[in-house]
Amino acid sequence: MNPDDPLLQLLACPLDKGPLTLPPGREVLYNPRLQLGYPIVDGIPQLLPSSGTRVSPEDHERYTSSGEE
């Protein structure tokens, strides 16, 4: 999945229904509001509520440093 993928505009967090971001160089869709990352496995986003993992404050800063929060 790449940042220009139209599918990214349709995907939403299963918990708050808000948009997700794709941090550069990462295989994860990120919800900056809840600080949860959802893995992308073999090109398929794993968007079950139980798949979300809390990210560290350092990763949150890295994921949002591009200003796309």
Side-chain angles (χ1 to χ4, degrees):
M1 183 171 275
N2 64 55
D4 299 327
D5 194 328
L7 179 61
L8 187 57
Q9 302 301 315
L10 299 174
L11 297 176
C13 174
L15 297 175
D16 75 356
K17 311 300 186 234
L20 298 167
T21 61
L22 182 64
R26 308 276 191 219
E27 286 295 312
V28 64
L29 290 174
Y30 184 59
N31 179 335
R33 297 164 308 283
L34 300 178
Q35 296 185 10
L36 292 174
Y38 295 94
I40 300 172
V41 179
D42 295 328
I44 301 170
Q46 307 298 306
L47 293 176
L48 295 172
S50 61
S51 296
T53 56
R54 179 102 26 219
V55 301
S56 68
E58 294 81 18
D59 281 341
H60 173 73
E61 188 65 33
R62 252 190 313 244
Y63 291 174
T64 60
S65 64
S66 65
E68 293 183 20
E69 189 168 348

